[in-house]
Amino acid sequence: MTDRAELESTARQYALFFENVTPERIKEVHGLISDDVHFIDPFNDVKGRENFEKVFHKMYEDVQEPRFKILDLAWSGDLCFMRWDFTCEQKHLGNWSVRGLTEVHFNAQSKVSAHYDYWDASRHLYRKLPIVGSMIKWIASRAAI
């Protein structure tokens, strides 16, 4: 079993990485993640450090001024949950923000081995898009009580 203090230290450093990430600082996460890290969010399902980095480079291509604010770290055994707010400026959506939760798994060396993001892409993104948004709003209204 991995030392809990090491896991907590890695989790805090990982949270700081997100709060301070810039295109020039993406590689700083290497010491915190495993070679085969698994990353999932509503748009991506990738494995490996190189693909993990590509997700961040793509984010910087798609949005301006992306910022993460880590609100909480909570634990269930050796599993860490990171609650966060994300804000950015997006060309078609303007100022945009979303609250989400990340499930963080660790390997035996206390490195992040999996990062699974949970946030409502339908409510916070797709509904704001022209045409698609109207369809999603209509479907949601049909499903609501």
Side-chain angles (χ1 to χ4, degrees):
M1 183 165 215
T2 308
D3 178 31
R4 178 60 178 263
E6 282 185 55
L7 295 182
E8 289 180 6
S9 176
T10 299
R12 284 191 303 274
Q13 291 174 60
Y14 195 60
L16 284 172
F17 164 77
F18 279 91
E19 287 193 326
N20 297 300
V21 68
T22 64
E24 300 77 31
R25 298 180 80 179
I26 293 171
K27 286 196 182 293
E28 291 179 13
V29 77
H30 279 207
L32 302 173
I33 62 175
S34 65
D35 292 339
D36 61 347
V37 64
H38 188 198
F39 178 93
I40 297 176
D41 70 7
F43 311 111
N44 301 283
D45 185 344
V46 300
K47 289 187 179 175
R49 280 190 178 135
E50 184 178 321
N51 289 324
F52 183 94
E53 286 183 20
K54 285 179 182 178
V55 169
F56 284 90
H57 287 295
K58 178 79 169 120
M59 174 184 72
Y60 280 100
E61 289 174 18
D62 293 344
V63 301
Q64 295 73 50
E65 303 300 322
R67 295 281 179 258
F68 291 94
K69 175 153 180 55
I70 306 306
L71 305 172
D72 302 296
L73 296 178
W75 293 86
S76 177
D78 288 343
L79 185 64
C80 181
F81 295 94
M82 187 167 62
R83 192 169 62 106
W84 45 265
D85 284 337
F86 174 77
T87 60
C88 67
E89 175 76 21
Q90 205 281 336
K91 187 169 127 178
H92 301 290
L93 301 176
N95 291 328
W96 186 64
S97 66
V98 63
R99 176 161 291 169
L101 182 78
T102 300
E103 180 181 327
V104 183
H105 295 251
F106 302 90
N107 66 13
Q109 292 74 42
S110 299
K111 294 195 178 214
V112 174
S113 60
H115 172 128
Y116 305 137
D117 277 349
Y118 302 102
W119 58 276
D120 187 348
S122 170
R123 178 176 303 273
H124 294 289
L125 178 65
Y126 299 136
R127 287 187 192 194
K128 296 179 181 187
L129 298 174
I131 302 169
V132 173
S134 298
M135 291 176 12
I136 290 174
K137 287 174 193 172
W138 180 81
I139 292 168
S141 72
R142 302 290 295 167
I145 58 168

